[in-house]
Amino acid sequence: MNYRSTRGSNEYKRSAEAIIKGIAEDKGLYVPERIPALEIEPTELIGKDYRQVASAVLPKFLDDYSQEELAHCIDRAYDEKFEAAEVVPVVKAGDAYFLELYHGKTAAFKDMALSILPYLLTTAMVKENEANKIAILTATSGDTGKAALEGFADVEGTEIVVFYPRDGVSLVQERQMTTQEGNNTHVFGIKGNFDDAQSAVKQIFNDPEVAKVLAESGYRLSSANSINIGRLVPQVAYYVWGYVQLLKDGVIQAGEKINVAVPTGNFGNILAAYYAKEMGIPIKTFICASNQNNVLTDFIHTGIYDRNRNFFVTSSPSMDILISSNLERLLYHLAGGNGEEIAEMMSELERNGSYEVSDLIRKGLEDFYGGFANEEETAKAILSMYENSGYLMDTHTAVGYKVYQDYKNATGDETPTLIAATASAYKFADSVIRALDPSETVTGFAAVDAVAIKTGVKVPTGLEGLSRRTVRHDVVLARDELSETVVRLFR
Ligand SMILES: *Cc1c(COP(=O)(O)O)cnc(C)c1O
C-alpha cells in the first residue's frame, strides 16, 4: 500500500517513509491511496485483548512493516503503563457508552497514538536505513505535547521540541510539560495560540535555512502532530475495539450500526472513526462536537470553512483550534482523491482564511452531524452527569456528551452511541470543580485535591506529585522566534 499527498503531487511513499517524513513535499498530508478493509468479522475479535485488536488493524495500513516489527511496537506501546487492565475501558453512563481513551501515562487520549509512534518511527529508521537522527517538532494545544515528550524522552536518535500556547493550556497541562525530564527534550511556551504554533511549525518544515542547518548537523525533521500518518493509524484501532466491546456486552448484534460522538479539535480523532467505518465497522453518524470555537459546526452546516472569526480560550483548551488540519484528509477522500481540488481549497484557506467545498464533498458530509457547547453548557453537562450517574467527565468529554444530547433531540435517533472520553477530569480540575460546585474558589493543584475529595475518583498516577516536580523548561518565545530557536538548538 502506498501513501500519497492530499494535494495531489506524484509522490508515493511506503508507510515507514511517510512516518519519517511527517508531511508531504507539496505541504499536503499523507493519505493511504485506498482505505484497506478489515477482512475479519468484528465478532471474531470478541474476547481478544487490546493488543490483539490493534494487531488486526495496524498491519492493514502499515503493510511494509513485518509482523514481528509490528508485534514489537504494539507490545511495547500498550503495556502496564496503561492504568486500566483493558487499556481502553468502555463504560456505560447515562444514555451513552464512554470509550475511555485516557488511561495512559499523560491522562489524555493522545497517549493512544504517542505510546506507539516512537516505536513505529525508530523501526522505520532502521527499515529505511536512515542515517540521520530525527528532530521532532510538535505544536500542541496542551495534550499532544506531554504525550509526545513522554513517548520520545531519551529515545536514542531523536530530539523532541514542543511549542505550546503560554496562555492557552491548563496549569496541569503546562506543568506536565515544563517538568519533563530527558536529555533530548525541549519545551517552549509561545505568545500566541495553538493555530499560531501549528502554522509556525508547518512553516519551519518548509524553511530551507532550517533544513540546511539540520542536514549539516545530521538531523532531519519529523512531526508528532496528527498530521503524521503514524499518529492517525493507531487511533483507528480503538474504534474497532469499542465496537467489539459493545458486541461482547450484547448492546448490539453483529452488523448493527453505532454512532460515535467525538470532541474535536484538529479532526484527527474523528477522522480515525471515519477510517474505521471505511474499513467495515458499521457506523451510522459521526457526531462532531466543538466548543465555542465552532468553525467545524458551521462548516458541516454550510459547506463553507471560515476561520475569520474570534478565537476563544475555553475550559476545553485542547479543542481551541480554528484550523483543523486533518479535515484536509477527509476532504481528499470525499473528493474521490482529487488532489488538485484540495490544493486549491488549501491555498484559498491560506490566502483568505476560507473556502467552500464542492457538491460532491457536501454529499459525503451527510454522515456528519456538527454541534457545539458553550462554556455554561459544558459545565452543566459535567454537573448533571455527575449528579444523575456518578460519572465524572472532563471538559472535552462533556462537550461531546452535550452535543450528543442535541443530536438525539434533533433526530430522535436511539442508535447506541460511543462517546470518545478524551481526558481525565483532573487535567482540567479548575473548570471541573467549579462545574460540580459553582461556589468553589480553589484553583491549580488545590483544585485537583478538591475534585478528589468531592468525587473519590482516583488521581491518575502520572499526575501525582506534579506540583512538587522541578520546572526544567521556562523559556517563552514570541511567535516569530520559533524558527531561529530551532536553528539554534541544532546548529
Ligand atoms: C487533542 C484533544 C482533543 C481533540 O482531538 P483532535 O484529534 O485534535 O480532534 C479532544 N480532547 C482532548 C482532551 C484532546 O487532548
Side-chain angles (χ1 to χ4, degrees):
M1 148 134 34
N2 276 317
Y3 286 77
R4 66 176 309 214
S5 167
T6 46
R7 303 198 187 172
S9 64
N10 276 329
E11 185 196 337
Y12 291 87
K13 294 270 183 282
R14 292 183 297 276
S15 75
E17 294 176 282
I19 288 171
I20 292 173
K21 289 198 64 187
I23 190 161
E25 260 145 48
D26 62 4
K27 305 192 206 173
L29 308 185
Y30 290 115
V31 276
E33 268 189 297
R34 54 176 178 80
I35 298 171
L38 190 57
E39 285 173 359
I40 175 172
E41 287 302 320
T43 46
E44 291 175 60
L45 293 171
I46 293 174
K48 306 276 193 222
D49 65 21
Y50 190 84
R51 294 187 227 186
Q52 291 170 314
V53 171
S55 302
V57 176
L58 269 56
K60 306 285 183 217
F61 287 96
L62 310 176
D63 63 356
D64 51 326
Y65 286 71
S66 71
Q67 220 180 336
E68 296 71 46
E69 285 169 338
L70 278 183
H72 167 87
C73 297
I74 290 169
D75 289 350
R76 257 149 246 247
Y78 303 116
D79 62 8
E80 310 73 51
K81 60 180 163 297
F82 282 82
E83 280 195 81
E86 315 90 308
V87 180
V88 179
V90 176
V91 176
K92 174 152 206 251
D95 53 357
Y97 298 86
F98 290 85
L99 184 66
E100 292 189 348
L101 300 167
Y102 58 80
H103 294 289
K105 266 189 158 173
T106 78
F109 92 92
K110 304 299 195 294
D111 288 323
M112 295 307 304
L114 284 161
S115 305
I116 193 166
L117 182 65
Y119 295 106
L120 294 175
L121 182 65
T122 48
T123 305
M125 286 162 69
V126 175
K127 291 171 71 62
E128 299 294 322
N129 298 314
E130 178 62 53
N132 289 302
K133 289 181 277 188
I134 304 275
I136 292 151
L137 295 194
T138 299
T140 182
S141 56
D143 290 326
T144 291
K146 176 61 182 179
L149 288 162
E150 201 58 56
F152 282 101
D154 290 326
V155 170
E156 211 174 307
T158 70
E159 295 283 324
I160 165 105
V161 187
V162 168
F163 300 107
Y164 72 93
R166 179 66 174 72
D167 298 314
V169 298
S170 77
L171 176 75
V172 170
Q173 287 178 311
E174 175 168 49
R175 202 63 75 81
Q176 280 184 300
M177 291 186 278
T178 58
T179 59
Q180 178 67 46
E181 308 210 350
N183 289 325
N184 64 339
T185 61
H186 313 273
V187 180
F188 300 95
I190 69 157
K191 296 175 194 142
N193 59 37
F194 170 73
D195 291 313
D196 298 321
Q198 177 157 264
S199 315
V201 165
K202 281 189 181 169
Q203 259 166 32
I204 294 172
F205 269 91
N206 296 295
D207 183 333
E209 162 74 5
V210 175
K212 183 164 155 274
V213 169
L214 265 90
E216 283 165 8
S217 317
Y219 282 93
R220 65 181 293 172
L221 286 178
S222 189
S223 168
N225 282 105
S226 52
I227 54 175
N228 193 316
I229 194 72
R231 272 279 304 273
L232 196 58
V233 165
Q235 294 182 199
V236 179
Y238 54 67
Y239 288 103
V240 177
W241 165 262
Y243 186 83
V244 171
Q245 302 324 296
L246 294 183
L247 277 176
K248 178 174 145 242
D249 296 343
V251 176
I252 49 170
Q253 303 302 313
E256 232 178 275
K257 287 188 177 173
I258 62 166
N259 298 322
V260 295
V262 186
T264 295
N266 224 356
F267 211 79
N269 202 355
I270 196 164
L271 183 71
Y274 172 81
Y275 277 28
K277 176 177 183 176
E278 294 299 300
M279 289 190 93
I281 296 298
I283 296 175
K284 181 175 175 194
T285 304
F286 302 96
I287 300 165
C288 177
S290 301
N291 64 25
Q292 192 79 51
N293 295 294
N294 55 1
V295 59
L296 286 166
T297 311
D298 291 345
F299 171 68
I300 289 168
H301 290 164
T302 64
I304 298 170
Y305 194 95
D306 188 358
R307 64 149 304 188
N308 300 306
R309 58 179 71 214
N310 288 332
F311 178 91
F312 299 99
V313 174
T314 74
S315 61
S316 46
S318 302
M319 294 153 57
D320 289 346
I321 293 177
L322 292 179
I323 303 179
S324 294
S325 290
N326 280 292
L327 183 61
E328 181 171 343
R329 286 189 166 113
L330 178 70
L331 299 179
Y332 172 88
H333 295 299
L334 298 184
N338 184 345
E340 277 116 67
E341 185 183 335
I342 306 304
E344 183 50 43
M345 288 191 288
M346 292 304 130
S347 80
E348 262 177 57
L349 180 64
E350 233 166 82
R351 275 199 314 272
N352 314 322
S354 71
Y355 58 81
E356 180 165 12
V357 299
S358 65
D359 289 345
L360 178 66
I361 293 178
R362 281 208 76 174
K363 183 101 189 77
L365 286 170
E366 281 172 2
D367 296 341
F368 286 78
Y369 171 90
F372 74 100
N374 65 26
E375 294 292 272
E376 200 189 322
E377 291 163 337
T378 305
K380 256 176 69 185
I382 292 173
L383 178 62
S384 67
M385 174 60 88
Y386 186 71
E387 280 184 336
N388 298 330
S389 312
Y391 188 71
L392 185 62
M393 300 186 295
D394 95 292
T395 45
H396 304 73
T397 309
V399 167
Y401 184 70
K402 188 271 174 185
V403 174
Y404 169 54
Q405 297 306 309
D406 291 347
Y407 168 79
K408 264 187 28 173
N409 290 334
T411 62
D413 182 10
E414 296 285 334
T415 303
T417 298
L418 268 184
I419 297 183
T422 51
S424 156
Y426 288 105
K427 290 194 93 164
F428 309 97
D430 278 16
S431 306
V432 169
I433 192 65
R434 248 170 292 291
L436 294 175
D437 180 357
S439 71
E440 271 289 359
T441 52
V442 287
T443 57
F445 290 104
V448 172
D449 297 339
V451 173
I453 290 165
K454 187 162 186 71
T455 66
V457 174
K458 183 182 174 301
V459 178
T461 308
L463 302 185
E464 277 170 11
L466 187 56
S467 62
R468 294 186 296 279
R469 273 178 233 158
T470 312
V471 171
R472 300 180 67 240
H473 311 269
D474 58 2
V475 178
V476 178
L477 304 172
R479 271 182 242 188
D480 57 3
E481 290 175 326
L482 272 59
S483 114
E484 67 194 57
T485 302
V486 171
V487 165
R488 207 172 335 108
L489 280 178
F490 291 96
R491 177 171 281 140

